Amino acid sequence: MSNDTNVDDPPEDASDAAPDGESVEERRERQGERSPYEENGDRRTDVDDPTDDLEPSSDDEDDDIETVDDLGSSVEVDPGVEVDEEIAEDDLLGGLKIDSTEDIEVPDRLVDQVIGQDEARDIIIKAAKQRRHVMMIGSPGTGKSMLAKAMSQLLPKEELQDVLVYHNPDDGNEPKVRTVPAGKGEQIIDAHKEEARKRNQMRSILMWIIIAVVMGYAILAGGRLLLGVVAAGIIWLIFRYTSRGTDAMVPNMIVNNGDQRVAPFEDATGAHAGALLGDVRHDPFQSGGMETPSHDRVEPGSIHKANKGVLFVDEINTLDIRTQQKLMTAIQEGEFAITGQSERSSGAMVQTEPVPCDFIMVAAGNLDAMENMHPALRNRIKGYGYEVYMDDTIEDTPEMRRKYARFIAQEVERDGRLPHFTDDAVEELILEAKRRSGRKNHLTLLFRSLGGLVRVAGDIARAEDREYTTRDDVLQAKQRSRSIEQQLADDYIERRKDYELQVNEGGVEGRVNGLAVMGEDSGIMLPVMAEIAPAQGGGQVIATGKLKEMAEESVQNVSAIIKKFSDVDLSEKDIHIQFVQAGQQGVDGDSASITVATAVISALENIPVDQSVAMTGSLSVRGDVLPVGGVTHKIEAAAKAGCSKVIIPEANEQDVMIEEEYEEMIEIIPCANISEVLDVALMGEPKKDSLVDRLKSITGTAFDQGTVGSAGGSNPSPQ
């Protein structure tokens, strides 16, 4: 493919246009047929080069993006606003002295607005400077698309190009491709259109002269007017048919960067093959002079529009395998010919010369994106770039809290219609960020959902025509912005209250209030019942409630403990376990292990379970209570159900971040062993004490307390 950068600026002498050793004929063959405007050697000296308007990259700008330390590392505020370092550690605003987010200055560059993803931001800066490909993997809403857009702003300012497609007189199905400096393409097309207009004007004048002569001759030759009209019509059709060749000389500009002042950014998420790789429109009129020239039907793909810029593809695994293979070719070659993507279309017969697509690939997705991603494409990105995992949480520090205050200011400014947030509203949002992290002393980095809460709170304040968004608006927004799963869970809980399915007082043998999570953030109380019956054959454990694999395994673990301590011959007993109203989704995970164990032991020993107690926790075969996920939401669910105590794994104690309204409603009891669970949950002192003492003697702590504690410090998946 040739890169003719002076198509609209032909030299006065043809010999000047040809490179050394190349004749004029060879040049014309290389460039395709030129318009007479260019063949005549007319030089347009009144056209300014648009590329002169592009500001050259300076050394100072390069220094600004050299390290990650200076990017978004501080919060600039208006004069007079200070940061009190003495109270910063305990202050929710990190010592930031503001009345509202109006006092916080928002950075101009996107890369400075990125919060928490220090490693990913550092990689993006390096990749932009060295033009490397990047794959970002992580949860939705952690800032992948924002980093990709920021990368396009950081790319060195290269000479952008317009791409023109010309008619090929030798083979109409193989259009020629030319690249010119950005802004020159429009000038070339205007010149060709002007030349075509002049040609058509001359042809029209000639046509009407011929028609007038024919009509005059027909009338004067014997009054044959009808014959003259027929002849004039034939002449008109001939001129109309042949005039299409003149229109075909006008090139088609498929990539126009005339107004682009920074590297282009193309989001090709979910794009089909034609939109990503380019396409050629189908032409139902393929002959008879009615067809559209093939070069006019060429459509660029995102890979071509992203030339010299960034191509961003989220959920990369959703692309067809063949599309991924072609994308890999485009990455490797830096150019990709455009052809019709539909095999049944006339466009499939057309294939252009290679079109430049020298882009930086930024692929993104969740963890499952790597499973269906073409291994060669991933290898190509990794071999010529970076892979980075996006964090879900970050350590809670005064500096990070100040950045979260700036995040709220960024969301207000980006939306443009929200009132600014007062300091107490910002504090409430930071508290919510701590809760959503699911970890003690951490803040969530799922900014999309947190930003949604900001917008809902701002909408509430704006609806009431208030100048600022207050803490009450944020609290109201938390209720209004509940997920569908949470709304269903709340409705389900209310319905269960109507039928008195929840018991939160007294003692019942074989019934325990378990806790579960519906969706991601909706806690619910899930009773578990156990009954012992004579075996019809060999004794077995029968569990109902649509248990899934992990839940079934937890039941087996529980049966191991029961067999070890019980004096009852279980070979003659069937143990029936029921998860009451588990629903169509069934039970997944093993967080009900201690619930099942307590229910079965209560039924075996005929000892009632305190119904004011709810519990959650996994159980090892040795009797240790292991950490689970979602403890905060489960505790709140127990409080809503009217329970006064809740048992959680000791390792999860650091993960508890319940709302203030629930702190006085429920007592949280951490336990490390099944014997501790039974000591709290069972009633009837003499029998309970004897059972607990016996259980302590045959079960022990299989893990060191420090080890269990560190496990809880991780971020276990919700179960």
Side-chain angles (χ1 to χ4, degrees):
M1 181 192 71
S2 61
N3 290 330
D4 182 11
T5 59
N6 293 296
V7 175
D8 69 323
D9 194 13
E12 295 178 358
D13 189 83
S15 61
D16 295 336
D20 294 341
E22 184 180 20
S23 66
V24 176
E25 289 75 10
E26 290 173 336
R27 175 180 62 80
R28 287 181 177 173
E29 182 179 356
R30 174 172 56 85
Q31 295 177 343
E33 184 176 343
R34 309 288 290 237
S35 72
Y37 176 87
E38 296 166 290
E39 290 173 355
N40 292 338
D42 295 332
R43 182 179 182 88
R44 299 185 62 179
T45 58
D46 59 334
V47 178
D48 295 330
D49 188 350
T51 58
D52 293 339
D53 297 333
L54 295 175
E55 297 179 2
S57 176
S58 65
D59 293 336
D60 293 338
E61 289 178 350
D62 290 340
D63 292 341
D64 290 341
I65 63 172
E66 190 140 6
T67 65
V68 71
D69 298 333
D70 298 328
L71 295 177
S73 58
S74 62
V75 179
E76 300 295 337
V77 294
D78 290 341
V81 180
E82 299 178 353
V83 176
D84 190 344
E85 295 292 350
E86 294 184 359
I87 64 170
E89 193 66 37
D90 299 323
D91 184 31
L92 279 173
L93 294 178
L96 197 61
K97 295 298 182 180
I98 58 171
D99 295 325
S100 71
T101 52
E102 197 172 11
D103 299 329
I104 300 176
E105 183 177 331
V106 177
D108 294 328
R109 297 192 307 179
L110 281 176
V111 72
D112 298 330
Q113 297 180 19
V114 177
I115 296 173
Q117 304 290 352
D118 290 344
E119 181 182 359
R121 190 175 60 213
D122 189 21
I123 287 175
I124 285 294
I125 294 167
K126 292 176 181 177
K129 198 166 186 179
Q130 301 296 329
R131 294 190 62 84
R132 307 295 189 205
H133 304 298
V134 179
M135 183 168 74
M136 294 182 286
I137 299 297
S139 303
T142 51
K144 297 187 289 291
S145 59
M146 187 176 182
L147 280 168
K149 290 179 182 178
M151 189 176 189
S152 66
Q153 296 180 354
L154 296 174
L155 283 176
K157 294 183 176 66
E158 298 189 22
E159 184 177 346
L160 301 180
Q161 297 173 328
D162 293 340
V163 180
L164 302 171
V165 180
Y166 284 81
H167 171 67
N168 186 349
D170 298 326
D171 185 356
N173 286 329
E174 190 178 352
K176 292 183 175 295
V177 175
R178 303 287 177 263
T179 59
V180 297
K184 298 275 187 172
E186 292 182 350
Q187 301 168 16
I188 294 172
I189 289 179
D190 290 342
H192 278 276
K193 286 182 177 179
E194 178 64 21
E195 185 61 33
R197 187 190 66 80
K198 290 180 180 179
R199 283 189 175 186
N200 288 333
Q201 188 177 34
M202 293 298 296
R203 293 173 64 86
S204 296
I205 294 173
L206 179 61
M207 178 187 69
W208 289 114
I209 290 174
I210 295 174
I211 290 175
V213 170
V214 170
M215 290 293 294
Y217 176 78
I219 294 172
L220 295 176
R224 298 181 179 180
L225 181 60
L226 180 59
L227 183 61
V229 171
V230 172
I234 294 173
I235 294 170
W236 183 83
L237 287 174
I238 292 172
F239 271 86
R240 284 285 294 177
Y241 182 82
T242 56
S243 67
R244 297 184 62 83
T246 304
D247 296 336
M249 293 301 102
V250 179
N252 175 22
M253 182 161 57
I254 60 174
V255 177
N256 183 1
N257 283 319
D259 297 328
Q260 192 80 19
R261 291 295 175 265
V262 294
F265 173 81
E266 285 294 322
D267 188 346
T269 301
H272 56 80
L276 179 64
L277 305 171
D279 204 350
V280 180
R281 298 193 307 274
H282 174 67
D283 184 8
F285 305 103
Q286 301 180 38
S287 60
M290 301 180 68
E291 70 276 4
T292 302
S294 59
H295 75 282
D296 273 341
R297 295 186 283 121
V298 174
E299 297 288 345
S302 295
I303 62 174
H304 307 111
K305 296 177 183 177
N307 185 38
K308 305 297 183 183
V310 174
L311 178 71
F312 175 65
V313 183
D314 201 358
E315 303 302 334
I316 184 71
N317 57 312
T318 60
L319 291 180
D320 181 77
I321 290 296
R322 289 187 299 175
T323 302
Q324 292 188 44
Q325 289 175 327
K326 294 177 181 178
L327 182 60
M328 179 179 61
T329 302
I331 292 175
Q332 180 175 357
E333 302 296 333
E335 56 184 18
F336 194 83
I338 299 176
T339 187
Q341 294 297 324
S342 174
E343 296 177 355
R344 298 183 179 183
S345 168
S346 64
M349 297 184 296
V350 178
Q351 182 168 352
T352 69
E353 291 181 343
V355 180
C357 55
D358 182 20
F359 57 83
I360 293 177
M361 175 77 172
V362 179
N366 302 325
L367 282 173
D368 60 350
M370 296 182 291
E371 297 177 4
N372 296 326
M373 187 176 178
H374 196 294
L377 176 59
R378 182 182 176 189
N379 183 264
R380 194 62 49 90
I381 295 175
K382 186 176 181 180
Y384 296 94
Y386 300 89
E387 290 186 350
V388 58
Y389 179 74
M390 307 291 287
D391 295 325
D392 289 340
T393 64
I394 193 168
E395 188 177 354
D396 180 14
T397 63
E399 182 183 10
M400 285 308 304
R401 285 180 233 136
R402 293 195 289 268
K403 289 183 180 181
Y404 269 74
R406 192 190 68 195
F407 163 74
I408 299 168
Q410 290 172 186
E411 291 297 302
V412 171
E413 183 175 294
R414 185 178 294 115
D415 187 274
R417 298 182 299 273
L418 303 179
H420 277 281
F421 283 61
T422 60
D423 55 348
D424 57 346
V426 175
E427 290 178 350
E428 185 62 35
L429 282 166
I430 294 175
L431 278 174
E432 182 65 15
K434 293 164 70 76
R435 275 174 45 85
R436 294 189 179 190
S437 70
R439 300 176 62 183
K440 199 76 169 180
N441 299 322
H442 278 75
L443 295 164
T444 182
L445 290 178
L446 303 181
F447 285 110
R448 184 174 294 127
S449 59
L450 195 63
L453 181 60
V454 171
R455 283 181 283 277
V456 173
D459 288 344
I460 293 172
R462 188 169 183 265
E464 298 182 9
D465 199 25
R466 287 201 297 272
E467 183 179 2
Y468 294 102
T469 305
T470 64
R471 179 177 182 271
D472 291 337
D473 297 325
V474 176
L475 294 175
Q476 191 175 348
K478 288 169 65 175
Q479 180 68 16
R480 288 190 182 181
S481 63
R482 293 175 301 159
S483 65
I484 295 296
E485 291 83 0
Q486 189 168 353
Q487 294 177 47
L488 288 172
D490 292 344
D491 181 67
Y492 180 60
I493 292 171
E494 289 299 318
R495 288 175 179 269
R496 288 174 51 159
K497 288 180 180 178
D498 295 340
Y499 294 97
E500 297 183 353
L501 294 177
Q502 294 182 358
V503 180
N504 52 31
E505 59 183 16
V508 179
E509 294 179 4
R511 186 189 187 281
V512 181
N513 290 320
L515 297 170
V517 173
M518 293 181 64
E520 294 183 355
D521 54 1
S522 302
I524 185 171
M525 196 159 76
L526 187 67
V528 175
M529 295 185 180
E531 188 66 39
I532 310 299
Q536 299 299 319
Q540 58 182 329
V541 177
I542 303 171
T544 59
K546 296 188 70 172
L547 301 190
K548 297 185 180 179
E549 185 175 350
M550 288 185 64
E552 290 179 350
E553 291 179 357
S554 72
V555 171
Q556 297 301 322
N557 291 344
V558 168
S559 64
I561 296 175
I562 296 169
K563 292 175 182 177
K564 187 174 181 179
F565 94 93
S566 178
D567 294 332
V568 180
D569 185 1
L570 295 180
S571 63
E572 300 178 357
K573 303 287 184 180
D574 284 342
I575 302 176
H576 295 262
I577 302 170
Q578 179 186 12
F579 289 80
V580 180
Q581 288 192 327
Q584 295 182 352
Q585 300 300 320
V587 178
D588 193 11
D590 62 344
S591 63
S593 297
I594 64 170
T595 309
V596 172
T598 303
V600 173
I601 292 172
S602 170
L604 277 172
E605 301 293 331
N606 298 318
I607 302 176
V609 178
D610 187 352
Q611 298 301 299
S612 67
V613 176
M615 63 181 69
T616 182
S618 180
L619 193 64
S620 74
V621 293
R622 294 289 303 274
D624 296 289
V625 179
L626 306 178
V628 294
V631 289
T632 296
H633 305 298
K634 293 175 180 178
I635 293 171
E636 292 179 353
K640 290 177 184 178
C643 295
S644 59
K645 298 177 182 178
V646 60
I647 296 172
I648 65 170
E650 189 175 70
N652 281 128
E653 188 175 7
Q654 62 179 349
D655 300 326
V656 177
M657 287 169 286
I658 62 175
E659 298 274 13
E660 293 180 2
E661 59 183 293
Y662 301 115
E663 291 180 355
E664 300 297 327
M665 295 173 58
I666 194 163
E667 179 185 359
I668 302 171
I669 304 174
C671 294
N673 192 276
I674 184 62
S675 59
E676 296 179 12
V677 173
L678 296 177
D679 192 24
V680 175
L682 298 182
M683 303 176 68
E685 296 302 324
K687 294 183 67 176
K688 181 190 77 171
D689 293 342
S690 173
L691 172 65
V692 171
D693 291 340
R694 179 157 46 98
L695 196 58
K696 285 180 179 179
S697 65
I698 60 175
T699 61
T701 301
F703 301 99
D704 182 77
Q705 289 296 326
T707 305
V708 175
S710 62
S714 63
N715 193 14
S717 302
Q719 299 168 356

